[in-house]
Amino acid sequence: MNRIKAVQRALDGRRRRVYLEIGVSTGTAFRHIAAEEKIAVDPAFALSARTRERAAAKSSATHYFETSSDAFFANETAFLEQRGIDVAFIDGLHTYRQVVRDVENTLRYLRDDGVILVHDCNPTRASIACPAESYADFRARHRWRDVSRGLTTSGTLAILWSGDVWKAIVLLRSTRGDLRMAVLACDFGVGVIRRGAPSTLLPYSDAQVEALQYADLAADRNRLLNLKPPAYLDEFLNSEC
């Protein structure tokens, strides 16, 4: 299981399939997803013509918004109200406060049985989870040999950075009693969110979440994230809202 398979599993079998992706970049996920309508949001697309063709082949309509997610939600209210969102995938700026805003803005247009997935919720090493204002900021503050590296889907070496996205899960699990949430233990953590009463709420205030460090996650990640095996996705999707 990876993020692309998880997103597609959430879309498959739905009566309508309007898909929103925040943080499209080169289209690694977007080009593979099959949906009735696909909406791409990124402040700086890096999409080849071939990627756009592949994305279009898996949809009746594709829409591209080259803007920040905050601006997209502020300026495209009519567009979103007309369509609604069935499934959203959030993989934009890897700061927890931005992720919280993206989740809360998406919820305004999410169907009652809709699903939000969030990437990078379970970083496996402190270097991957280092907070920064952007990927460029992260790169500027760390030497190449000091950070975790891995292979991209094309086989090239890249620096891995999840930031403090994991804190978004902790904050939402502490403040939103109307949402069910878990993190799948795959692909650096795939968060899954839908409406419904949670089995448990975490006790953290905004200030306490701000103060959390990677060591806190490493010591108690199962509880903080409601960490589940990838196979849990089917149970999550099939349960009543």
Side-chain angles (χ1 to χ4, degrees):
M1 178 71 72
N2 59 28
R3 61 195 184 279
I4 297 171
K5 291 179 180 178
V7 167
Q8 195 62 60
R9 187 80 59 85
L11 280 162
D12 288 345
R14 299 182 66 89
R15 185 178 62 84
R16 279 182 56 84
R17 297 194 300 168
V18 177
Y19 169 64
L20 168 67
E21 184 172 318
I22 295 173
V24 172
S25 186
T26 60
T28 299
F30 195 73
R31 67 175 179 261
H32 290 291
I33 301 301
E36 183 178 342
E37 283 194 71
K38 300 200 300 188
I39 305 163
V41 178
D42 196 287
F45 287 122
L47 300 166
S48 67
R50 177 58 177 157
T51 292
R52 288 179 182 259
E53 290 173 3
R54 292 180 66 183
K58 289 180 174 290
S59 177
S60 298
T62 53
H63 311 275
Y64 293 93
F65 294 88
E66 192 167 47
T67 185
S68 70
S69 57
D70 288 341
F72 169 71
F73 285 111
N75 298 328
E76 300 298 336
T77 300
F79 175 87
L80 288 163
E81 287 179 344
Q82 182 181 22
R83 289 163 176 80
I85 299 168
D86 293 281
V87 174
F89 177 51
I90 295 173
D91 192 19
L93 183 60
H94 291 170
T95 68
Y96 84 92
R97 292 200 179 275
Q98 182 63 58
V99 172
V100 169
R101 286 202 302 275
D102 287 342
V103 169
E104 292 182 337
N105 280 328
T106 299
L107 283 167
R108 291 160 51 198
Y109 306 100
L110 191 72
R111 299 190 195 284
D112 289 343
D113 63 345
V115 180
I116 299 173
L117 298 96
V118 183
H119 193 217
D120 290 297
C121 297
N122 185 30
T124 55
R125 294 186 291 279
S127 58
I128 298 174
C130 182
E133 292 304 311
S134 66
Y135 181 69
D137 177 40
F138 174 75
R139 287 289 304 271
R141 290 163 51 189
H142 295 85
R143 293 176 297 180
W144 176 263
R145 66 176 181 270
D146 294 335
V147 294
S148 297
R149 287 167 286 173
L151 294 179
T152 67
T153 54
S154 61
T156 58
L157 196 64
I159 291 177
L160 302 176
W161 180 56
S162 294
D164 57 4
V165 171
W166 63 274
K167 287 188 181 184
I169 299 298
V170 178
L171 183 59
L172 290 167
R173 292 192 64 221
S174 298
T175 58
R176 294 295 300 250
D178 59 335
L179 299 177
R180 295 178 54 232
M181 281 174 272
V183 174
L184 305 179
C186 60
D187 201 355
F188 297 99
V190 178
V192 286
I193 303 171
R194 63 183 305 191
R195 291 188 174 89
S199 56
T200 58
L201 275 173
L202 293 175
Y204 298 96
S205 67
D206 187 281
Q208 288 172 321
V209 172
E210 177 71 32
L212 289 174
Q213 302 294 318
Y214 179 78
D216 300 303
L217 174 66
D220 201 12
R221 69 176 71 234
N222 286 339
R223 182 182 69 90
L224 291 174
L225 301 180
N226 193 20
L227 199 62
K228 300 290 186 182
Y232 174 74
L233 179 60
D234 286 336
E235 177 184 337
F236 182 85
L237 295 174
N238 293 329
S239 60
E240 293 292 331
C241 294

